[in-house]
Amino acid sequence: MAVRRVLKMGDPVLYRVADPVGEFNTRELDALIGDMFDTMAALNGAGLAAPQIGVSRRVVIFGVEANPRYPDVEPVPTTVLINPVIEILSPEMDDGWEGCLSVPGMRGLVRRATRLRYSGFDQKGEPIERVATQFHARVVQHECDHLDGILYPMRLKDMRLFGYEDALFPEM
Ligand code: NI
């Protein structure tokens, strides 16, 4: 497997609606997912969508381990989610800071639903269905947006709450 180059905002591949995966347990799909995990780990990401490495397919991965340095960040199970479907379960929304490996060095405040159900398939083609809240729900929405050609800056309500990490959070 390999660490792949991550496309940056402005690349037209990031704005495409990605195609569903039709066949599981192929060399091609398993290699794609392996490369996605290697790339996410190398860049310390919380999630990655296949279009970000130039493959316009409906595949996302995500996962956040518990980290004592960031006690506020709830862990998210390491997940491969293919052909995902999201159902919003509550009208409640929440603002949170997001970053993206395709928008390096920047953060923006994005409003997202706080409770949803997601379903789809894992790497082997087995069905997945989970209810997620808060940060887990945010990560799923962010990654699935990539499959519809949406980057988080396209969801910003206030451009003043979008900027460079070191300017927004000088204490970090
Ligand atoms: Ni992203």
Side-chain angles (χ1 to χ4, degrees):
M1 300 298 134
V3 174
R4 302 268 291 262
R5 187 171 66 88
V6 174
L7 304 184
K8 285 193 249 176
M9 184 168 68
D11 192 301
V13 173
L14 293 172
Y15 305 117
R16 275 191 210 149
V17 176
D19 295 320
V21 170
E23 216 184 329
F24 293 89
N25 299 304
T26 63
R27 279 246 299 269
E28 188 189 10
L29 180 63
D30 291 342
L32 168 66
I33 291 166
D35 285 356
M36 288 173 69
F37 273 108
D38 287 351
T39 304
M40 183 171 82
L43 298 173
N44 262 315
L48 189 71
Q52 291 182 275
I53 60 168
V55 178
S56 197
R57 288 284 178 173
R58 302 188 81 79
V59 179
V60 302
I61 64 170
F62 50 83
V64 180
E65 283 177 28
N67 185 332
R69 283 168 58 213
Y70 304 106
D72 311 341
V73 176
E74 68 179 277
V76 176
T78 298
T79 302
V80 175
L81 184 60
I82 298 172
N83 298 346
V85 175
I86 290 179
E87 180 193 353
I88 303 298
L89 296 179
S90 160
E92 192 190 322
M93 307 282 277
D94 184 29
D95 291 326
W97 290 99
E98 294 189 11
C100 180
L101 296 176
S102 294
V103 193
M106 304 195 79
R107 297 274 180 215
L109 197 73
V110 183
R111 182 156 291 185
R112 300 276 190 192
T114 58
R115 186 175 163 81
L116 54 78
R117 177 181 293 117
Y118 63 89
S119 57
F121 300 90
D122 71 8
Q123 180 165 0
K124 302 282 176 216
E126 299 296 327
I128 297 178
E129 186 181 298
R130 285 190 197 138
V131 171
T133 61
Q134 304 301 329
F135 183 64
H136 185 178
R138 177 174 297 279
V139 169
V140 170
Q141 289 170 88
H142 176 116
E143 296 311 328
C144 291
D145 264 357
H146 278 296
L147 306 181
D148 292 327
I150 299 167
L151 300 177
Y152 81 82
M154 297 157 73
R155 293 202 178 275
L156 295 167
K157 297 285 183 266
D158 184 346
M159 284 298 288
R160 290 168 298 189
L161 300 174
F162 175 52
Y164 294 95
E165 279 168 350
D166 54 354
L168 286 164
F169 308 110
E171 69 280 6
M172 282 175 76

